[in-house]
């Protein structure tokens, strides 16, 4: 039997009570090139040798063991070897002194172990025969191992291919992170449902679910934590759904859920339930605990309004969701035709002539709200806010007419009007108030107005007002949406000497990265994070992060909607530089003669003190 040199290097354990017989066998094997022979006098010595090769079992070639070896039950040993991952392939040649007739080689000492051969010892031992058996067993095992490895490789390859195929198929249909349907497949399945001419359809609705402030948590804690939060929220919602409901992730933090067989009331109750569950849920990451909430828009299929394309349904639910957000978040809003197009159109038609008239007939006027240094109460500047007179003495706030003006192209005239009036206002102040500065709001489309820069420049030159006394506020959302144009506009206006503030910071959930790119002096943290921050730990964490980042970038921070003395304390603690809000001063038609506001203490006296402290300087508007 030809045995390769490599196989001859393998360890052969000879376990034999009779020492001289063991040596004899060893000598014969050695003479035929088997170089690695170990002797064992009893069962435990076999185990000792095996144990020393535990990490490299492939080095063990075979075991020649006497059937009557002391401290050894050969069958039990074979069983143990069979069950061991490493040594299961090691063959045994069992030497038995059985005086049976027939071949010396007889298999079946251990019925369950094909790697076990028994070899009948005769006296004198026929070594040429034993060598053949040894060679045969080594070659067999080697072959078996090769085949086994090959099979394993094939199986692995096949399995891998199958997994990849299955994964690919799955990814095409599902969102990888949440295992929910992806947008495409959701739309496809929804289209099939919508095409089904089934009256039951009318008991269906689509929920558009948006996680409030998700991007901000993503931004602060990183995508990995954001992903975890998504998975946990999905799990909460999924628990409430049935297998017939279609649940899909259609944006980074936007989900659609199509529900059937529920009445309008049940739909609303369902949406409210998941909203409440998520609101009650606390998300822990490290030492920090976040609370979060959902804004949910519902769009029901109705007999009156036919829906032909899934996008129509999704779009309506999304619009309802936007209203849920606009109305304070953590809210369920049902789509209603009246909320949207009709009313919107009515609003525009109604307001346009009023805005034109106001511009012509001086129905607009300005009010001023102080922005106060939170350390010493000094007034840094005043924000200019526009108002419209209505039927003589009623006053209309800008949220009613600014959006219409933006849509209808009248906003540039308003922006210019405010700029001119504000500079006039500064020019008219007495010399003792030459340090007063104003912050002027620019609309989200101000960058489109090519005449804005020349207007500001000309007005400043004519009025002799120092450009440093003007700060322009632009909202973060509009700045990011029109990134390049806005940056260009800011840069040009800054060359005049004016300053800039990024308004409503945080509301648009935009990337902090943008902050680096805008040359602004102030960051105004959106009021929604401030108003209730005393009772909301999440708000505090978010404000802290915004302040940290803004400060690192060398920008001063302003908190708006400061309404209580505790908020002032908290903001100071966090390191916010300035505050603006009703407790520090409401928007007024005139500005204060003193440039210091005594900061309210944590007592009821505080408010009274502020109210009583000042005489007001009335300035012609
Ligand atoms: P904004 O720039 O974020 O202005 C802050 C708004 O919050 C003002 O409402 C102000 O009156 C109000 N506010 C101030 N302190 C508090 C407070 O402690 N609590 C609460 N709840 N509210 C407070 P207003 O004047 O109605 O202005 C609304 C928005 O209209 C402004 O938001 C700004 O985006 C826009 N706007 C105001 N004036 C102008 C303007 O002259 N031009 C343009 N383009 N937009 C303007
Ligand atoms: Ca503002
Ligand atoms: Ca603001």
């Amino acid at each position: 039997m030809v045995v390769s040199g490599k196989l001859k290097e393998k360890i052969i354990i000879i376990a034999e009570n009779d020492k001289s017989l063991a040596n004899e066998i060893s000598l014969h094997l050695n003479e035929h090139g088997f170089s690695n022979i170990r002797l064992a006098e009893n069962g435990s010595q076999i185990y000792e040798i095996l144990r020393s090769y535990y990490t490299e079992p492939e080095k063990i070639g075979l075991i020649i063991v006497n059937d009557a070896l002391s401290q050894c039950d050969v069958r039990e040993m074979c069983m143990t070897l069979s069950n061991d991952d490493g040594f299961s392939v090691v063959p045994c040649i069992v030497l038995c002194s059985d005086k049976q007739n027939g071949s010396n080689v007889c298999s079946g000492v251990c019925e369950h172990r094909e790697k076990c051969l028994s070899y009948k010892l005769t006296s004198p031992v026929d070594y040429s025969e034993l060598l053949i058996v040894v060679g045969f067993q080594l070659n067999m095992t080697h072959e078996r191992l090769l085949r086994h490895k090959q099979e394993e490789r094939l199986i692995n390859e096949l399995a891998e291919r199958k997994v990849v195929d299955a994964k690919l198929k799955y990814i095409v249909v599902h969102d990888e992170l949440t295992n929910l349907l992806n947008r495409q497949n959701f739309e496809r399945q929804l289209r099939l449902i919508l095409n089904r001419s089934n009256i039951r359809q009318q008991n269906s609705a689509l929920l558009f679910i948006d996680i409030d402030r998700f991007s901000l948590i993503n931004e602060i804690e990183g995508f990995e934590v954001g992903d975890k939060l998504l998975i946990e929220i999905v799990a909460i919602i999924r628990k409430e759904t049935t297998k017939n409901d279609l649940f899909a992730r259609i944006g980074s933090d936007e989900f659609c859920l199509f529900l059937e067989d529920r009445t309008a009331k049940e739909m609303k109750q369902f949406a409210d339930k998941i909203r409440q569950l998520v609101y009650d849920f606390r998300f822990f990451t490290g030492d920090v605990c976040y609370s979060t909430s959902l804004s949910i828009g519902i769009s029901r299929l109705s007999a009156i309004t036919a829906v032909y394309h899934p996008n129509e349904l999704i779009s309506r639910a999304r619009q309802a969701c936007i209203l849920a957000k606009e109305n304070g978040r953590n809210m369920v809003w049902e789509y209603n035709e009246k909320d949207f197009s009709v009313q919107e159109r009515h609003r525009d038609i109604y307001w346009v002539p009023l805005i034109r008239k106001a511009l012509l007939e001086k129905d607009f006027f300005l009010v001023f709200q102080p922005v106060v240094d939170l350390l010493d109460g000094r007034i840094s500047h005043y924000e200019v806010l526009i108002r419209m007179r209505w039927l003589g003495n009623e006053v209309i706030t800008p949220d009613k007419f600014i959006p219409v003006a933006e849509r209808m192209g009248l906003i540039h005239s308003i922006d210019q009007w405010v700029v001119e009036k504000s500079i006039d206002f500064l020019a008219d102040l007495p010399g003792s108030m030459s340090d007063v500065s104003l912050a002027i709001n620019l609309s989200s489309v101000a960058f489109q107005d090519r005449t804005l820069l020349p207007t500001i420049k000309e007005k400043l030159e004519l009025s002799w007002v120092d450009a440093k006394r003007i700060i322009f506020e632009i909202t973060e959302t509009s700045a990011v949406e029109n990134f390049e144009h806005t940056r260009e506009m800011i840069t040009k206006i800054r060359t005049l000497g004016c300053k800039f503030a990024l308004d409503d910071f945080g509301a648009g959930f935009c990337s902090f990265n943008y902050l680096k790119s805008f040359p602004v002096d102030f960051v105004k943290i959106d009021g929604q994070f401030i108003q209730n921050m005393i009772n909301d730990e999440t708000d505090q964490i978010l404000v802290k992060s915004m302040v940290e980042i803004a400060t690192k970038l060398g920008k001063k921070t302003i908190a708006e909607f400061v309404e209580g003395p505790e908020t002032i304390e908290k903001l100071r603690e966090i390191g916010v530089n300035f505050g603006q809000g009703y407790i520090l001063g409401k928007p007024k038609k005139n500005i204060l003669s003193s440039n210091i506001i005594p900061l309210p203490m944590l007592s009821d006296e505080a408010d009274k003190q502020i109210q009583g402290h000042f005489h007001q300087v009335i300035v012609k508007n």
Side-chain angles (χ1 to χ4, degrees):
M1 167 84 40
V2 182
V3 181
S4 72
K6 269 250 171 289
L7 285 181
K8 282 185 171 169
E9 282 170 17
K10 295 223 171 193
I11 293 162
I12 295 178
I13 303 171
I14 302 172
E16 170 57 65
N17 294 321
D18 182 343
K19 256 191 187 169
S20 63
L21 179 62
N23 283 331
E24 213 181 288
I25 299 172
S26 166
L27 204 70
H28 274 280
L29 289 175
N30 220 292
E31 273 172 7
H32 286 85
F34 295 95
S35 53
N36 224 337
I37 294 174
R38 305 286 159 89
L39 299 183
E41 285 175 27
N42 50 43
S44 41
Q45 284 187 5
I46 302 180
Y47 286 117
E48 252 167 57
I49 299 170
L50 290 177
R51 215 173 297 134
S52 61
Y53 286 93
Y54 197 75
T55 52
E56 32 191 7
E58 68 286 350
K59 286 203 170 160
I60 304 284
L62 96 146
I63 304 169
I64 300 173
V65 56
N66 190 310
D67 195 15
L69 185 74
S70 60
Q71 298 173 22
C72 182
D73 178 332
V74 173
R75 279 168 193 79
E76 208 179 287
M77 183 188 79
C78 288
M79 281 265 280
T80 314
L81 290 180
S82 292
N83 294 330
D84 187 289
D85 278 348
F87 298 119
S88 64
V89 288
V90 176
C92 287
I93 297 172
V94 182
L95 305 175
C96 40
S97 41
D98 204 337
K99 297 275 180 296
Q100 264 179 15
N101 293 327
S103 163
N104 283 347
V105 181
C106 49
S107 61
V109 170
C110 309
E111 319 64 48
H112 48 266
R113 198 159 190 260
E114 54 173 338
K115 291 132 224 151
C116 202
L117 269 185
S118 68
Y119 177 76
K120 208 186 297 173
L121 269 186
T122 49
S123 193
V125 178
D126 182 346
Y127 282 108
S128 60
E129 199 179 58
L130 185 63
L131 278 170
I132 292 173
V133 176
V134 168
F136 171 77
Q137 283 294 66
L138 285 174
N139 278 329
M140 268 296 281
T141 310
H142 183 64
E143 277 301 307
R144 250 190 219 129
L145 270 176
L146 281 183
R147 213 177 324 131
H148 186 71
K149 271 188 190 156
Q150 223 164 0
E151 269 171 16
E152 224 170 38
R153 214 188 56 230
L154 275 174
I155 289 170
N156 281 345
E157 270 176 16
L158 209 71
E160 249 169 48
R161 212 175 307 148
K162 269 192 184 159
V163 169
V164 171
D165 279 357
K167 226 174 172 180
L168 277 177
K169 262 190 214 149
Y170 194 81
I171 289 171
V172 173
V173 182
H174 291 85
D175 169 59
E176 218 183 344
L177 178 72
T178 56
N179 286 345
L180 298 180
L181 287 173
N182 62 22
R183 190 193 180 109
Q184 258 179 337
N185 270 280
F186 178 68
E187 283 179 10
R188 199 186 301 156
Q189 295 201 31
L190 196 55
R191 190 174 302 143
L192 290 177
I193 294 174
L194 294 179
N195 288 341
R196 213 167 56 193
S197 53
N198 186 341
I199 195 75
R200 271 176 50 225
Q201 226 191 77
Q202 278 155 24
N203 269 341
S204 324
L206 187 118
L207 269 56
F208 191 99
I209 304 166
D210 188 297
I211 304 175
D212 297 328
R213 298 177 187 178
F214 171 75
S215 333
L216 219 51
I217 292 175
N218 221 0
E219 195 70 59
I220 292 164
E221 296 290 349
F223 292 125
E224 222 172 287
V225 173
D227 283 355
K228 272 192 205 148
L229 174 64
L230 278 181
I231 291 168
E232 295 204 28
I233 290 180
V234 165
I236 294 173
I237 301 173
R238 207 196 316 240
K239 251 193 205 157
E240 303 305 314
T241 60
T242 67
K243 67 175 189 326
N244 291 334
D245 302 333
L246 287 185
F247 192 11
R249 180 176 177 210
I250 64 155
S252 68
D253 61 340
E254 292 167 342
F255 302 87
C256 276
L257 185 55
F258 185 76
L259 307 169
E260 288 185 277
D261 293 334
R262 291 175 177 87
T263 62
K265 198 177 161 201
E266 285 166 345
M267 293 289 180
K268 178 81 174 40
Q269 280 170 345
F270 176 91
D272 251 328
K273 186 175 179 192
I274 56 171
R275 183 201 54 75
Q276 190 64 43
L277 284 172
V278 171
Y279 188 63
D280 293 340
F281 162 70
R282 292 290 171 271
F283 178 68
F284 290 91
T285 173
D287 297 336
V288 185
C289 166
Y290 284 101
S291 54
T292 181
S293 56
L294 301 179
S295 294
I296 304 176
I298 304 183
S299 158
R300 286 200 308 119
L301 281 175
S302 72
I304 319 150
T305 353
V307 174
Y308 301 103
H309 195 278
N311 275 342
E312 286 175 55
L313 198 60
I314 297 173
S315 155
R316 283 180 197 172
R318 173 183 269 135
Q319 286 182 51
C321 179
I322 292 170
L323 276 193
K325 274 195 182 294
E326 280 176 1
N327 280 281
R329 302 166 201 277
N330 185 30
M331 198 173 273
V332 176
W333 199 277
E334 238 181 282
Y335 178 86
N336 184 341
E337 201 83 17
K338 283 190 212 122
D339 281 345
F340 297 94
S341 46
V342 179
Q343 206 181 38
E344 202 90 319
R345 254 176 274 136
H346 173 73
R347 244 195 248 151
D348 287 5
I349 293 163
Y350 181 77
W351 282 103
V352 169
L354 289 180
I355 296 170
R356 289 216 175 95
K357 181 176 160 285
L359 280 165
L360 282 173
E361 295 177 14
K362 305 189 175 67
D363 283 339
F364 284 129
F365 65 98
L366 300 177
V367 291
F368 306 89
Q369 189 180 25
V371 174
V372 181
D373 189 320
L374 290 175
L375 286 182
D376 55 16
R378 247 180 3 89
I379 294 173
S380 154
H381 58 270
Y382 292 83
E383 177 173 7
V384 181
L385 298 159
I386 193 170
R387 299 287 180 264
M388 188 195 265
R389 268 183 217 100
W390 177 256
L391 300 174
N393 41 13
E394 207 180 319
V395 174
I396 310 279
T397 51
D399 50 302
K400 305 278 188 313
F401 55 85
I402 293 277
V404 185
E406 283 185 350
R407 279 198 295 275
M408 304 308 284
L410 293 165
I411 192 66
H412 297 326
S413 310
I414 295 183
D415 276 350
Q416 297 225 3
W417 185 89
V418 177
V419 168
E420 287 183 25
K421 289 293 164 207
S422 300
I423 297 175
D424 281 344
F425 177 86
L426 288 178
D428 287 348
L429 284 176
S432 60
M433 297 178 96
S434 60
D435 55 344
V436 170
S437 309
L438 295 181
I440 300 170
N441 289 288
L442 288 181
S443 74
S444 61
V445 289
F447 68 91
Q448 293 171 348
D449 183 2
R450 286 172 188 276
T451 62
L452 182 64
L453 177 72
T455 304
I456 300 169
K457 199 172 168 202
E458 192 185 27
K459 195 75 201 173
L460 287 172
E461 279 168 6
L462 288 175
S463 63
W464 291 78
V465 167
D466 189 346
K468 281 199 203 88
R469 296 170 72 188
I470 307 281
I471 302 159
F472 287 104
E473 294 192 3
I474 42 156
T475 66
E476 184 207 18
T477 340
S478 68
V480 172
E481 268 170 23
N482 311 293
F483 183 74
E484 274 312 324
H485 289 118
T486 308
R487 198 162 60 162
E488 209 174 291
M489 175 186 79
I490 298 178
T491 313
K492 280 185 186 154
I493 297 179
R494 273 175 80 94
T495 57
L496 301 177
C498 303
K499 292 184 210 143
F500 269 86
L502 205 53
D503 202 359
D504 301 344
F505 189 71
F509 316 118
C510 296
S511 167
F512 287 135
N513 274 335
Y514 286 104
L515 195 52
K516 275 189 236 157
S517 319
F518 286 119
V520 297
D521 308 87
F522 300 94
V523 168
K524 283 188 91 167
I525 301 165
D526 193 70
Q528 61 163 310
F529 302 105
I530 309 295
Q531 209 164 16
N532 193 31
M533 71 182 295
I534 288 304
N535 307 312
D536 191 326
E537 210 187 329
T538 306
D539 281 344
Q540 290 175 26
I541 293 167
L542 296 176
V543 172
K544 260 186 213 157
S545 322
M546 292 188 239
V547 171
E548 216 170 83
I549 289 158
T551 312
K552 258 192 206 136
L553 294 172
K555 326 246 182 239
K556 295 279 180 206
T557 46
I558 304 173
E560 46 176 27
F561 291 18
V562 181
E563 293 177 349
E566 297 94 340
T567 311
I568 297 178
E569 291 288 323
K570 195 71 193 165
L571 291 170
R572 272 182 170 165
E573 192 188 304
I574 293 175
V576 177
N577 306 109
F578 303 99
Q580 177 182 1
Y582 294 159
I583 193 160
L584 297 164
K586 291 195 171 167
K588 299 243 168 74
K589 279 180 84 172
N590 32 55
I591 64 170
L592 305 165
S593 63
S594 165
N595 67 346
I596 295 195
I597 286 187
L599 287 177
M601 278 76 74
L602 291 170
S603 76
D604 296 341
E605 283 304 298
D607 211 33
K608 282 184 216 151
Q609 245 184 333
I610 303 177
Q611 306 305 330
H613 194 78
F614 301 99
H615 4 262
Q616 295 179 331
V617 176
I618 311 289
V619 188
K620 160 170 79 106
N621 209 337

